[in-house]
Amino acid sequence: MEQNSMQGMWGRYFLFILLSIAVLVGHSFWMARNAPKRQPPAEAPAQVAQGVEGAKDDANKPAKAPPGATEKPAEAPKPAEKPPVVEEPKHPDAYVTLGSLDSTSPYRMLVTVTARGAAVARVELNDERFRDVEDRTGYLGQLVVDKSVRGTGCPVQVVGPGTPAAAAGLRPGDVITAVDGVEVTSWETLQDALAKTRPGQTVALTLEGKPEPVAATLGRRPLEVIRPESGDPLSFLLTLRQIDDLKLEAPPLDPNQKQPRPPALNQELEGLDLRSGNWKVVSHDEEQVTLRRRLPRWGLEIDKVFRLAKVPEQDRADPNCPAYHLTFEVAIRNTGGEVRKVAYQLDGPTGLPTEGWWYASKVSHYWFKGVGLRDVIASFGPPEPNVYSAVEIAQGEWRKPILTDAQKGDLAFVGVDAQYFSAVMIPQRQAAGQCRFAEWQPLAVGEPPKDVPTKTNTSFRLASVVREVKPQASWVDSFQVFAGPKKPDLLDAYGLKGILYYGYFWWSAKPMLWLLHFFHDYLVFNYGLAIIMLTVVVRGCMFPLSKKQAIGAQKMQEIQPELKRLKEKYKNDLQAMGRAQRELFAKYNYNPWGGCLIVFLQLPIFVGLYRALMVDVELRGAALLSESIRWASNLAAPDMLLDWSGFMPGFITRGIGFFGLGPYFNILPIITIVLFLWQQKKFMPPPADEQAALNMKIMQYMMIFMGVLFYKVASGLCLYFIASSLWSIAERKYLPKTAAHAEGSPPADKPRDNRIIPRLSLNPDGDSARKELKRRRSRRRR
């Protein structure tokens, strides 16, 4: 029983972690039983499901013969004539930009559009708060879209307004041959040269055909919400899924595959190259671009229009002004003389950020389900969207198209959700029948990484209903494409607040965030100091409880000798020993579980702060000291004191698995664990027997194990633990020492001393106690 009492005493320091695990497991069970059900994949035919407009035509078609039936030769359908290749002159490569990277411009982003597939290649945010937290080298601008182009140097294909390249006077068609005298032969060698630079540095660019170098002052790389990635398809590619009776068929069913496969990623109707061919740039300015393809064979004309939102003059200073979007229109016109039945297929955004993949941890809507860095989200009306994780998509769980059901609600929005940013398509329905879809499907647009499936580049595919387009008529569908940070007020303005999810501890995370923002915005203007102030407020509110816990720990130290005597006396009678122990605790008014309340109170605070760091975009990139210092430059990430990837083994630096600590040496988790161990050694009572000593040693090893688990946690969370531990140490050191009382009297086995002597706190170190007693006696003689 004495052993149990000691475990109840110093086990409270480890109980915090055990309770955290217990709460998370309990929450997982609750969520697994009560979470909103995702829309299950319905049985989908190989062909595109038709909408109301096209359903009536199917009734007049002859039914197909059942499998295995013998058809008469006279009744066999004639093979359809293959349409010729589109008779249209090829358009040249073209790259245009919308908006500006200048934060003082009336735009929130810089958008790069390529004529190849009329796709969005890149979306870069110009807010200085949203910079790339991994690449801290000098940024010249994204000058190249097609990296396969080779020549004598690096060809400049596009120059975005507001970039350092634009400020230096670079123009599309220039060729960079050297940077500060270092030869450049391709895009890759240009990146290698810029990797040795820093933001604010001025470099000399040698251009082909120009005698004098051009000076360019480099900047900090912006955050790219959408970007090209490893040869994967670009964003918002479109093709026609059906033209009259010509339909995009699914590949033959693999006998080893249980589910039917959708059409291949880049498959198109024969004769079409809408995904890979160049579109004609019809019109373009800094706010809008229109791209067009004509299909003379069918008398169709397709336009894709991208229009960037502009910030009103009076709202320039409002960071939550809803201007983080593009208006994307798809217009199909029938320029011929026959009615055409048409359906299109549209892919969503790709290449969202994977920053911090080796330490990032997203909050999942569904427990016991793998969650990725780029999950697909879709909503048909509920406040919280259905979530299709990147891990499940990589494993092929959503190979089957999902039929939409108009009775359950039209598609409200669908997008790709990263940890702090999202790219979401919101259909705009100004009239009945607009933006109606027969089916949709989450996609893996690239080869899923085998070792890190959470990094899978995901997107989605929308298949419209079949509509009849009369001669000289048009079919127009419009979307609002949000591409920006997941800020609560901003998401609320777009009707996307449901995608910001704090988990089961939202009731703790939101007040914690409110306090952090208040301290930052009005008092200290630094989130590191705000976290320390939050710790002071929390521990100050719990001071009465922590004081009671400290006094209980002192009492436990002083009654240890009596507990040891009880154990010797009743070593063969556990029941009698338990009864005597309870009487001893009552005699000294000691509750062995009295210190657990403070652990329970700190648990939601710890989880709430952890959730806040994982979700709140304002804490992403917030520096403890300065952005110019790499260490602790992002409180939502490990502190990254030293890059040790050059000399540590690969299984440690790659950041995968239990021993995958990542490419950086982090000091704050080590300081946290050292403080835990020091606090345990300094304030825990000495073990009364060998078993207690063994348990204490096991506890120390568990602390080290916990340090490995906590090695990649956010530096802001480590800062909270360090500040809280220092507060606890200060409490124990400066609280007045209190001797144990038996109902207000000294222990019965000690004679009462009527002399007025300052109370001496018992110290397990006998030499220190004797020296202190001798010092006080000499003071009284003087």
Side-chain angles (χ1 to χ4, degrees), residues 238-455:
L238 176 141
T239 191
L240 294 183
R241 194 177 178 94
Q242 178 174 341
I243 304 177
D244 295 335
D245 294 332
L246 184 64
K247 301 179 182 180
L248 192 60
E249 302 286 350
L253 181 64
D254 187 346
N256 299 323
Q257 189 176 6
K258 297 180 180 179
Q259 295 179 336
R261 291 184 296 180
L265 188 64
N266 292 312
Q267 182 180 354
E268 296 192 66
L269 295 173
E270 189 168 358
L272 296 185
D273 62 346
L274 300 179
R275 292 175 59 94
S276 58
N278 288 338
W279 293 48
K280 181 180 179 181
V281 180
V282 178
S283 62
H284 167 242
D285 57 31
E286 66 176 7
E287 188 174 339
Q288 177 175 314
V289 60
T290 300
L291 302 104
R292 179 173 297 166
R293 282 296 298 270
R294 290 189 174 93
L295 310 179
R297 168 70 180 176
W298 297 279
L300 296 176
E301 189 176 82
I302 307 173
D303 282 358
K304 293 175 72 174
V305 181
F306 297 97
R307 185 165 51 253
L308 184 60
K310 197 171 185 178
V311 183
E313 184 70 30
Q314 65 274 14
D315 295 331
R316 297 282 176 87
D318 182 11
N320 296 321
C321 177
Y324 284 92
H325 70 271
L326 289 161
T327 298
F328 172 37
E329 293 180 357
V330 176
I332 302 177
R333 284 184 295 276
N334 185 354
T335 61
E338 300 180 11
V339 177
R340 296 294 183 187
K341 292 188 298 183
V342 181
Y344 67 82
Q345 171 183 289
L346 176 63
D347 290 357
T350 66
L352 268 75
T354 59
E355 56 185 17
W357 63 268
W358 56 275
Y359 63 80
S361 178
K362 280 182 64 180
V363 181
S364 174
H365 290 246
Y366 306 96
W367 290 91
F368 300 117
K369 291 286 186 179
V371 64
L373 295 176
R374 300 180 282 196
D375 303 319
V376 175
I377 54 176
S379 174
F380 292 84
E384 290 188 6
N386 296 328
V387 179
Y388 307 84
S389 80
V391 177
E392 294 174 337
I393 296 172
Q395 294 170 352
E397 183 170 335
W398 301 104
R399 289 192 296 263
K400 202 175 189 180
I402 303 173
L403 296 181
T404 61
D405 187 349
Q407 295 180 354
K408 295 181 180 179
D410 290 327
L411 181 67
F413 63 80
V414 59
V416 182
D417 181 51
Q419 185 168 9
Y420 298 106
F421 302 89
S422 292
V424 184
M425 294 180 62
I426 309 170
Q428 306 295 296
R429 298 182 176 94
Q430 286 82 16
Q434 283 188 320
C435 294
R436 294 192 54 224
F437 303 100
E439 65 186 37
W440 80 282
Q441 180 188 11
L443 289 178
V445 296
E447 185 68 24
K450 295 182 180 179
D451 52 348
V452 192
T454 56
K455 291 176 60 180

Side-chain angles (χ1 to χ4, degrees), residues 120-187:
V120 172
R122 202 179 305 269
V123 173
E124 303 170 87
L125 302 184
N126 61 18
D127 195 321
E128 294 181 356
R129 294 171 300 173
F130 306 133
R131 300 300 187 190
D132 194 302
V133 296
E134 294 184 332
D135 187 351
R136 304 178 68 85
T137 61
Y139 171 78
L140 181 62
Q142 299 295 346
L143 308 178
V144 176
V145 178
D146 186 0
K147 302 175 185 177
S148 62
V149 177
R150 290 290 186 268
T152 56
C154 177
V156 177
Q157 298 174 351
V158 60
V159 178
T163 62
L170 268 66
R171 296 290 182 268
D174 289 340
V175 178
I176 302 175
T177 58
V179 177
D180 282 341
V182 178
E183 184 181 7
V184 171
T185 58
S186 63
W187 177 85

Side-chain angles (χ1 to χ4, degrees), residues 53-124:
E53 296 83 348
K56 59 183 180 181
D57 297 301
D58 292 336
N60 299 324
K61 295 180 181 180
K64 292 183 178 181
T70 304
E71 295 184 296
K72 297 179 180 180
E75 298 177 352
K78 296 181 180 180
E81 296 182 1
K82 297 182 180 179
V85 177
V86 179
E87 300 171 356
E88 185 183 18
K90 292 185 176 296
H91 301 294
D93 288 339
Y95 310 96
V96 298
T97 60
L98 305 176
S100 173
L101 206 59
D102 184 358
S103 59
T104 63
S105 70
Y107 305 101
R108 297 295 193 201
M109 61 186 74
L110 173 65
V111 181
T112 303
V113 179
T114 173
R116 181 167 298 179
V120 172
R122 202 179 305 269
V123 173
E124 303 170 87

Side-chain angles (χ1 to χ4, degrees), residues 504-576:
Y504 190 64
F505 280 84
W506 62 267
W507 54 271
S508 174
K510 290 185 177 181
M512 298 277 285
L513 279 175
W514 185 89
L515 279 175
L516 283 176
H517 293 324
F518 175 80
F519 292 148
H520 174 270
D521 296 341
Y522 299 102
L523 297 178
V524 294
F525 311 106
N526 180 282
Y527 276 110
L529 296 178
I531 291 175
I532 295 175
M533 290 187 67
L534 177 68
T535 309
V536 172
V537 170
V538 170
R539 295 307 303 265
C541 293
M542 293 191 298
F543 177 73
L545 296 175
S546 58
K547 178 181 178 181
K548 185 177 180 180
Q549 181 190 25
I551 292 175
Q554 294 176 17
K555 289 181 179 180
M556 186 60 186
Q557 288 184 4
E558 295 176 348
I559 63 178
Q560 278 295 319
E562 293 195 44
L563 282 174
K564 188 172 183 179
R565 287 195 294 270
L566 288 178
K567 182 177 180 181
E568 293 295 331
K569 183 177 181 180
Y570 300 105
K571 59 183 178 180
N572 296 324
D573 190 350
L574 296 180
Q575 187 174 7

